[in-house]
Amino acid sequence: MTPSPEPPPSHVRAAFGARDAEPELIDGGPVWRCGDAAIRPAGKPAEATWVAKTLDGLDVDNLRVARPLRSTDGRYVVGGWAATKYLAGRAEPRHDEVVDVAVKLHRATADLVKPRFLDARTDLFATADRCAWEEEQVDLDPDLGGRLFDVCAAYRKPVALKPQVVHGDLFGTVLFAGDAAPAIIDFVAYWRPGPYGAAVVVVDALSWGGADHGLVQRWAHLEEWPQILLRATLFRLAVHALHPRSSRQSLVGLERTAAKVLELL
């Protein structure tokens, strides 16, 4: 059984102006609502600071953005924690709207400079991303996605779109609150073509979100869509093959998605 996450300590809550707020775990964590603040672990200070500065500078029509909170002494990260203003809402299976968020967001991030921390990343997700884009080769468990990765990889063709900063994990993290504009509360940065963020949403929604297969066609107007969608599929297959908690059962949805994507190629 996974232990419950620990709430931000009192000195962290105080630093972000929420000294007397009772921490409330949001949807199983790891984010805690503390009054008007949402406080989350920030194990990588350089990355967390970049996210805070990026969210602070984003202005996207019809999108609520969780603005970062500075501590009482001006820092974005205190004791391994960062904070944003709390935004109401929950993740909902409004898949086309999430893809639309990705498209709008990445128009707004098209001119951002590549973050320095990206090239230094060695985590599982960074490795999987590089595998998808032929920048790294690792041994992938054949029974947990590696075999299907190799099948799909044979269909790769060069992508001419220039890379930019994209959010690579929007599925399940965009918040909806009735008729209010959707909200983003974080930014998981990758350096890939703009439509890639939308493609990852589509792959996730098809594989695990119950989305209808028409989702693929409804966004087929995005540039170089079949190849970008293939890269997103390869990314998720590599993540699955590398992840310690993956199982044959959790691969089933990805297998269905891969078959659908291969039909486009």
Side-chain angles (χ1 to χ4, degrees):
M1 186 173 178
T2 304
S4 298
E6 290 292 321
S10 57
H11 75 276
V12 170
R13 301 199 303 272
F16 289 116
R19 179 190 302 274
D20 299 323
E22 186 66 27
E24 172 191 349
L25 192 62
I26 301 174
D27 292 336
V31 185
W32 296 81
R33 181 181 182 182
C34 302
D36 290 332
I39 304 178
R40 69 182 65 231
K44 300 175 181 177
E47 190 165 341
T49 298
W50 179 91
V51 170
K53 291 179 178 178
T54 299
L55 291 178
D56 209 17
L58 276 179
D59 186 14
V60 186
D61 286 342
N62 297 313
L63 183 65
R64 293 180 292 148
V65 177
R67 301 301 180 191
L69 300 177
R70 287 181 180 266
S71 68
T72 49
D73 62 359
R75 288 177 291 165
Y76 285 118
V77 180
V78 176
W81 296 83
T84 60
K85 182 174 175 57
Y86 172 76
L87 295 181
R90 287 182 171 276
E92 296 181 13
R94 293 158 66 168
H95 306 306
D96 285 281
E97 292 176 71
V98 178
V99 178
D100 187 53
V101 166
V103 172
K104 290 177 178 175
L105 177 63
H106 297 137
R107 286 185 193 135
T109 62
D111 295 326
L112 291 181
V113 175
K114 183 180 181 180
R116 284 183 293 180
F117 61 79
L118 285 183
D119 289 335
R121 269 188 188 159
T122 58
D123 60 89
L124 179 158
F125 295 94
T127 299
D129 171 68
R130 294 182 188 123
C131 287
W133 289 88
E134 298 182 88
E135 296 171 357
E136 187 172 338
Q137 286 188 330
V138 297
D139 291 330
L140 301 176
D141 189 318
D143 295 326
L144 293 178
R147 188 177 297 111
L148 185 53
F149 180 99
D150 290 339
V151 170
C152 293
Y155 290 85
R156 283 184 296 207
K157 294 179 181 179
V159 173
L161 297 177
K162 70 175 185 177
Q164 63 165 84
V165 171
V166 299
H167 190 319
D169 194 24
L170 283 165
F171 177 76
T173 67
V174 177
L175 305 185
F176 294 94
D179 294 332
I184 62 166
I185 55 175
D186 66 358
F187 203 115
V188 183
Y190 292 86
W191 187 248
R192 297 300 172 203
Y196 185 59
V200 175
V201 172
V202 169
V203 169
D204 291 351
L206 288 173
S207 302
W208 302 293
D212 67 282
H213 285 169
L215 187 65
V216 170
Q217 296 298 338
R218 289 194 293 276
W219 295 94
H221 58 280
L222 296 178
E223 290 183 281
E224 300 203 38
W225 186 238
Q227 281 296 320
I228 296 292
L229 198 58
L230 176 63
R231 296 308 198 286
T233 304
L234 289 168
F235 169 53
R236 284 306 190 203
L237 284 169
V239 168
H240 194 276
L242 292 168
H243 204 289
R245 293 201 299 271
S246 293
S247 67
R248 277 290 309 157
Q249 185 177 3
S250 58
L251 182 63
V252 171
L254 261 177
E255 290 174 331
R256 288 195 304 266
T257 299
K260 187 69 179 176
V261 171
L262 290 180
E263 290 176 7
L264 299 178
L265 300 165

Short mmCIF file of all heavy atoms in Angstrom, two decimals, residues 76-106:
data_model
loop_
_atom_site.label_atom_id
_atom_site.label_comp_id
_atom_site.label_asym_id
_atom_site.label_seq_id
_atom_site.Cartn_x
_atom_site.Cartn_y
_atom_site.Cartn_z
N TYR A 76 10.90 31.24 -5.15
CA TYR A 76 9.86 30.40 -5.71
C TYR A 76 9.84 29.01 -5.06
O TYR A 76 8.82 28.32 -5.10
CB TYR A 76 10.07 30.21 -7.22
CG TYR A 76 9.71 31.41 -8.06
CD1 TYR A 76 10.69 32.06 -8.82
CD2 TYR A 76 8.41 31.89 -8.12
CE1 TYR A 76 10.37 33.15 -9.61
CE2 TYR A 76 8.09 32.98 -8.91
CZ TYR A 76 9.06 33.61 -9.65
OH TYR A 76 8.74 34.68 -10.44
N VAL A 77 10.97 28.58 -4.51
CA VAL A 77 11.09 27.26 -3.91
C VAL A 77 11.60 27.41 -2.48
O VAL A 77 12.60 28.08 -2.23
CB VAL A 77 12.05 26.36 -4.72
CG1 VAL A 77 12.17 24.98 -4.06
CG2 VAL A 77 11.58 26.23 -6.16
N VAL A 78 10.90 26.78 -1.55
CA VAL A 78 11.28 26.82 -0.13
C VAL A 78 11.29 25.40 0.41
O VAL A 78 10.26 24.71 0.40
CB VAL A 78 10.28 27.67 0.70
CG1 VAL A 78 10.65 27.63 2.18
CG2 VAL A 78 10.25 29.10 0.19
N GLY A 79 12.46 24.95 0.85
CA GLY A 79 12.56 23.64 1.47
C GLY A 79 12.04 22.50 0.62
O GLY A 79 11.50 21.52 1.13
N GLY A 80 12.22 22.63 -0.71
CA GLY A 80 11.76 21.57 -1.59
C GLY A 80 10.29 21.64 -1.96
O GLY A 80 9.72 20.65 -2.42
N TRP A 81 9.67 22.82 -1.75
CA TRP A 81 8.25 23.01 -2.09
C TRP A 81 8.09 24.29 -2.90
O TRP A 81 8.82 25.26 -2.73
CB TRP A 81 7.40 23.14 -0.81
CG TRP A 81 7.38 21.91 0.05
CD1 TRP A 81 8.32 21.54 0.97
CD2 TRP A 81 6.39 20.88 0.07
NE1 TRP A 81 7.97 20.36 1.56
CE2 TRP A 81 6.78 19.93 1.03
CE3 TRP A 81 5.19 20.68 -0.63
CZ2 TRP A 81 6.03 18.79 1.30
CZ3 TRP A 81 4.44 19.55 -0.36
CH2 TRP A 81 4.86 18.62 0.59
N ALA A 82 7.10 24.28 -3.82
CA ALA A 82 6.74 25.46 -4.59
C ALA A 82 5.23 25.65 -4.48
O ALA A 82 4.50 24.72 -4.16
CB ALA A 82 7.15 25.30 -6.05
N ALA A 83 4.77 26.87 -4.78
CA ALA A 83 3.35 27.16 -4.59
C ALA A 83 2.81 27.98 -5.74
O ALA A 83 3.52 28.80 -6.34
CB ALA A 83 3.12 27.90 -3.27
N THR A 84 1.54 27.75 -6.03
CA THR A 84 0.81 28.59 -6.98
C THR A 84 -0.50 29.01 -6.32
O THR A 84 -0.91 28.44 -5.29
CB THR A 84 0.47 27.83 -8.28
OG1 THR A 84 -0.35 26.69 -7.96
CG2 THR A 84 1.72 27.39 -9.00
N LYS A 85 -1.16 29.96 -6.92
CA LYS A 85 -2.50 30.32 -6.47
C LYS A 85 -3.42 29.14 -6.75
O LYS A 85 -3.37 28.53 -7.80
CB LYS A 85 -2.99 31.57 -7.21
CG LYS A 85 -4.36 32.05 -6.76
CD LYS A 85 -4.72 33.37 -7.42
CE LYS A 85 -6.15 33.78 -7.05
NZ LYS A 85 -6.36 33.89 -5.59
N TYR A 86 -4.27 28.82 -5.79
CA TYR A 86 -5.19 27.71 -5.96
C TYR A 86 -6.25 28.04 -7.00
O TYR A 86 -6.85 29.12 -6.97
CB TYR A 86 -5.89 27.37 -4.62
CG TYR A 86 -6.99 26.35 -4.78
CD1 TYR A 86 -6.70 25.01 -4.95
CD2 TYR A 86 -8.34 26.74 -4.79
CE1 TYR A 86 -7.71 24.07 -5.10
CE2 TYR A 86 -9.35 25.81 -4.95
CZ TYR A 86 -9.02 24.48 -5.10
OH TYR A 86 -10.03 23.55 -5.28
N LEU A 87 -6.46 27.13 -7.96
CA LEU A 87 -7.50 27.29 -8.96
C LEU A 87 -8.51 26.16 -8.80
O LEU A 87 -8.13 24.99 -8.70
CB LEU A 87 -6.92 27.25 -10.38
CG LEU A 87 -5.97 28.38 -10.78
CD1 LEU A 87 -5.51 28.18 -12.23
CD2 LEU A 87 -6.65 29.74 -10.63
N ALA A 88 -9.79 26.51 -8.81
CA ALA A 88 -10.84 25.51 -8.66
C ALA A 88 -10.96 24.68 -9.92
O ALA A 88 -10.71 25.16 -11.03
CB ALA A 88 -12.18 26.20 -8.35
N GLY A 89 -11.36 23.44 -9.76
CA GLY A 89 -11.62 22.59 -10.91
C GLY A 89 -11.14 21.17 -10.70
O GLY A 89 -10.42 20.86 -9.75
N ARG A 90 -11.57 20.31 -11.62
CA ARG A 90 -11.16 18.91 -11.62
C ARG A 90 -10.85 18.48 -13.05
O ARG A 90 -11.38 19.03 -14.00
CB ARG A 90 -12.27 18.01 -11.07
CG ARG A 90 -12.48 18.11 -9.57
CD ARG A 90 -13.57 17.15 -9.13
NE ARG A 90 -13.65 17.07 -7.68
CZ ARG A 90 -12.90 16.30 -6.91
NH1 ARG A 90 -11.99 15.51 -7.49
NH2 ARG A 90 -13.02 16.28 -5.60
N ALA A 91 -10.03 17.46 -13.17
CA ALA A 91 -9.81 16.86 -14.48
C ALA A 91 -11.10 16.15 -14.91
O ALA A 91 -11.73 15.47 -14.11
CB ALA A 91 -8.66 15.86 -14.42
N GLU A 92 -11.49 16.36 -16.15
CA GLU A 92 -12.69 15.74 -16.70
C GLU A 92 -12.39 15.19 -18.08
O GLU A 92 -11.47 15.66 -18.75
CB GLU A 92 -13.83 16.77 -16.80
CG GLU A 92 -14.30 17.31 -15.46
CD GLU A 92 -15.45 18.30 -15.60
OE1 GLU A 92 -16.04 18.39 -16.70
OE2 GLU A 92 -15.76 19.00 -14.61
N PRO A 93 -13.17 14.19 -18.53
CA PRO A 93 -12.91 13.59 -19.85
C PRO A 93 -13.41 14.45 -21.00
O PRO A 93 -14.16 13.99 -21.85
CB PRO A 93 -13.65 12.25 -19.76
CG PRO A 93 -14.78 12.50 -18.82
CD PRO A 93 -14.23 13.46 -17.79
N ARG A 94 -12.99 15.70 -21.02
CA ARG A 94 -13.35 16.63 -22.09
C ARG A 94 -12.14 16.70 -23.03
O ARG A 94 -11.42 17.69 -23.12
CB ARG A 94 -13.71 17.99 -21.48
CG ARG A 94 -15.00 17.91 -20.66
CD ARG A 94 -15.19 19.00 -19.62
NE ARG A 94 -15.35 20.34 -20.17
CZ ARG A 94 -15.76 21.40 -19.46
NH1 ARG A 94 -16.08 21.25 -18.17
NH2 ARG A 94 -15.87 22.58 -20.01
N HIS A 95 -11.94 15.59 -23.75
CA HIS A 95 -10.67 15.35 -24.44
C HIS A 95 -10.37 16.39 -25.52
O HIS A 95 -9.23 16.85 -25.62
CB HIS A 95 -10.66 13.94 -25.02
CG HIS A 95 -10.94 12.87 -24.01
ND1 HIS A 95 -10.22 12.75 -22.84
CD2 HIS A 95 -11.87 11.87 -23.98
CE1 HIS A 95 -10.69 11.74 -22.13
NE2 HIS A 95 -11.69 11.19 -22.82
N ASP A 96 -11.37 16.72 -26.34
CA ASP A 96 -11.10 17.70 -27.39
C ASP A 96 -10.73 19.06 -26.81
O ASP A 96 -9.89 19.77 -27.37
CB ASP A 96 -12.32 17.84 -28.30
CG ASP A 96 -12.49 16.66 -29.24
OD1 ASP A 96 -11.77 16.61 -30.26
OD2 ASP A 96 -13.30 15.77 -28.94
N GLU A 97 -11.33 19.39 -25.67
CA GLU A 97 -11.00 20.67 -25.04
C GLU A 97 -9.57 20.67 -24.51
O GLU A 97 -8.90 21.70 -24.53
CB GLU A 97 -12.00 20.97 -23.92
CG GLU A 97 -13.41 21.26 -24.43
CD GLU A 97 -14.39 21.47 -23.29
OE1 GLU A 97 -14.30 22.51 -22.62
OE2 GLU A 97 -15.24 20.59 -23.08
N VAL A 98 -9.11 19.52 -24.02
CA VAL A 98 -7.73 19.43 -23.54
C VAL A 98 -6.76 19.55 -24.71
O VAL A 98 -5.73 20.23 -24.61
CB VAL A 98 -7.49 18.12 -22.76
CG1 VAL A 98 -6.03 18.02 -22.31
CG2 VAL A 98 -8.41 18.04 -21.54
N VAL A 99 -7.08 18.91 -25.83
CA VAL A 99 -6.23 19.06 -27.01
C VAL A 99 -6.21 20.53 -27.45
O VAL A 99 -5.15 21.07 -27.81
CB VAL A 99 -6.73 18.17 -28.16
CG1 VAL A 99 -5.85 18.37 -29.41
CG2 VAL A 99 -6.71 16.70 -27.76
N ASP A 100 -7.35 21.18 -27.39
CA ASP A 100 -7.42 22.60 -27.75
C ASP A 100 -6.55 23.44 -26.82
O ASP A 100 -5.90 24.39 -27.26
CB ASP A 100 -8.87 23.08 -27.71
CG ASP A 100 -9.03 24.49 -28.24
OD1 ASP A 100 -8.58 24.74 -29.37
OD2 ASP A 100 -9.61 25.33 -27.54
N VAL A 101 -6.53 23.09 -25.54
CA VAL A 101 -5.65 23.77 -24.59
C VAL A 101 -4.20 23.62 -25.04
O VAL A 101 -3.42 24.59 -25.04
CB VAL A 101 -5.83 23.21 -23.16
CG1 VAL A 101 -4.68 23.65 -22.25
CG2 VAL A 101 -7.16 23.67 -22.57
N ALA A 102 -3.82 22.41 -25.45
CA ALA A 102 -2.45 22.18 -25.90
C ALA A 102 -2.11 23.06 -27.10
O ALA A 102 -1.03 23.66 -27.16
CB ALA A 102 -2.26 20.70 -26.26
N VAL A 103 -3.02 23.14 -28.06
CA VAL A 103 -2.77 23.93 -29.26
C VAL A 103 -2.59 25.41 -28.91
O VAL A 103 -1.64 26.06 -29.34
CB VAL A 103 -3.91 23.74 -30.28
CG1 VAL A 103 -3.77 24.71 -31.44
CG2 VAL A 103 -3.95 22.30 -30.78
N LYS A 104 -3.51 25.94 -28.10
CA LYS A 104 -3.42 27.36 -27.72
C LYS A 104 -2.17 27.63 -26.88
O LYS A 104 -1.48 28.64 -27.08
CB LYS A 104 -4.67 27.75 -26.92
CG LYS A 104 -5.94 27.80 -27.74
CD LYS A 104 -7.13 28.13 -26.84
CE LYS A 104 -8.42 28.24 -27.65
NZ LYS A 104 -9.60 28.45 -26.77
N LEU A 105 -1.90 26.74 -25.95
CA LEU A 105 -0.75 26.93 -25.07
C LEU A 105 0.55 26.97 -25.86
O LEU A 105 1.42 27.82 -25.62
CB LEU A 105 -0.71 25.80 -24.03
CG LEU A 105 0.47 25.78 -23.06
CD1 LEU A 105 0.47 27.03 -22.19
CD2 LEU A 105 0.42 24.52 -22.20
N HIS A 106 0.66 26.10 -26.84
CA HIS A 106 1.93 26.01 -27.55
C HIS A 106 2.11 27.09 -28.59
O HIS A 106 3.23 27.36 -29.02
CB HIS A 106 2.09 24.60 -28.11
CG HIS A 106 2.16 23.58 -27.02
ND1 HIS A 106 1.51 22.37 -27.06
CD2 HIS A 106 2.77 23.63 -25.80
CE1 HIS A 106 1.73 21.71 -25.93
NE2 HIS A 106 2.49 22.47 -25.15
#
